């Protein structure tokens, strides 16, 4: 059963799964999403489980030195990955989707601003792609309650900050 809008679930209790109808995405972006998603699946499944998050972060940041994606490119990448996501027979949540979207942009020669954050009461984590202005791409307004804890792929900088890697 498909619904037009999802209900909120903070992961603190069991909830029914709701598949949201994805917005239209150009066919080229959908096609390009396939290798990005497959590579992300490989990074997720291969290697030690304790290093999974680290592998996903490294993959999300492969294009760190490329030019930033336009707002439209970032939106298309996120929507293309979300279009493909319901076909995957595994857990495929925000971490995997945002990583695949960042990788898709890298395949297109652009960089995504990948973000990871945490919110409290109840404690929950979330990963997303931000546009050049730092605004979340294709996310609900609830993402504003997350404090960014990991922003490793921003523009290279000599100043290390929370969650950034020193150059």
């Amino acid at each position: 059963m498909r619904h037009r809008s999802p209900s909120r679930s903070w992961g603190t209790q069991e909830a029914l799964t709701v598949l949201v109808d994805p917005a239209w995405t150009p066919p080229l972006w959908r096609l390009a999403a396939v290798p990005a998603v497959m590579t992300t699946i490989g990074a997720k499944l291969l290697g030690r489980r304790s290093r999974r998050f680290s592998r996903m972060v490294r993959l999300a940041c492969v294009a760190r030195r490329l030019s930033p994606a336009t707002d439209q490119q970032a939106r298309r990448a996120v929507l293309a990955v979300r279009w493909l996501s319901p076909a995957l027979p595994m857990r495929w949540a925000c971490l995997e989707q945002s990583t695949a979207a960042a990788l898709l942009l890298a395949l297109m020669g652009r960089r995504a601003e990948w973000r990871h954050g945490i919110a409290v009461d109840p404690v929950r984590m979330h990963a997303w792609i931000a546009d050049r202005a730092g605004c979340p791409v294709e996310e609900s307004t609830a993402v504003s309650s997350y404090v960014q804890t990991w922003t490793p792929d921003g523009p290279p900088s000599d100043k290390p900050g929370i969650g950034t890697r020193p150059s």
Side-chain angles (χ1 to χ4, degrees):
M1 176 184 221
R2 292 191 179 268
H3 296 275
R4 288 282 174 209
S5 63
S7 60
R8 290 190 175 151
S9 170
W10 306 118
T12 56
Q13 58 189 356
E14 287 189 28
L16 296 174
T17 301
V18 176
L19 298 175
V20 179
D21 287 329
W24 185 85
T25 311
L28 174 65
W29 285 87
R30 290 181 184 189
L31 184 63
V34 174
V37 166
M38 293 299 134
T39 303
T40 304
I41 289 171
K44 177 181 177 172
L45 298 178
L46 300 175
R48 292 189 333 214
R49 187 174 183 188
S50 63
R51 303 285 299 155
R52 184 178 293 166
F53 182 77
S54 176
R55 286 192 308 272
M56 299 300 269
V57 170
R58 282 195 314 270
L59 187 58
C61 301
V62 296
R64 185 166 188 248
R65 302 217 182 264
L66 295 176
S67 299
T70 65
D71 296 350
Q72 183 181 38
Q73 289 170 327
R75 183 175 187 272
R76 285 181 174 175
V78 169
L79 292 175
V81 169
R82 287 186 183 164
W83 172 81
L84 189 56
S85 295
L88 303 174
M90 60 177 41
R91 179 194 178 276
W92 191 257
C94 61
L95 176 62
E96 294 83 6
Q97 286 184 7
S98 62
T99 300
L103 184 57
L104 173 53
L105 285 169
L107 292 173
M108 298 291 196
R110 295 299 183 150
R111 177 184 81 228
E113 298 297 328
W114 185 83
R115 301 287 185 256
H116 187 267
I118 188 168
V120 295
D121 199 22
V123 175
R124 56 204 186 274
M125 293 182 281
H126 188 55
W128 66 95
I129 298 293
D131 63 18
R132 290 189 286 186
C135 298
V137 176
E138 288 297 314
E139 294 288 337
S140 72
T141 56
V143 78
S144 64
S145 64
Y146 290 84
V147 174
Q148 293 179 20
T149 58
W150 195 261
T151 59
D153 67 330
S157 171
D158 293 334
K159 300 178 190 175
I162 295 176
T164 61
R165 289 188 197 147
S167 296

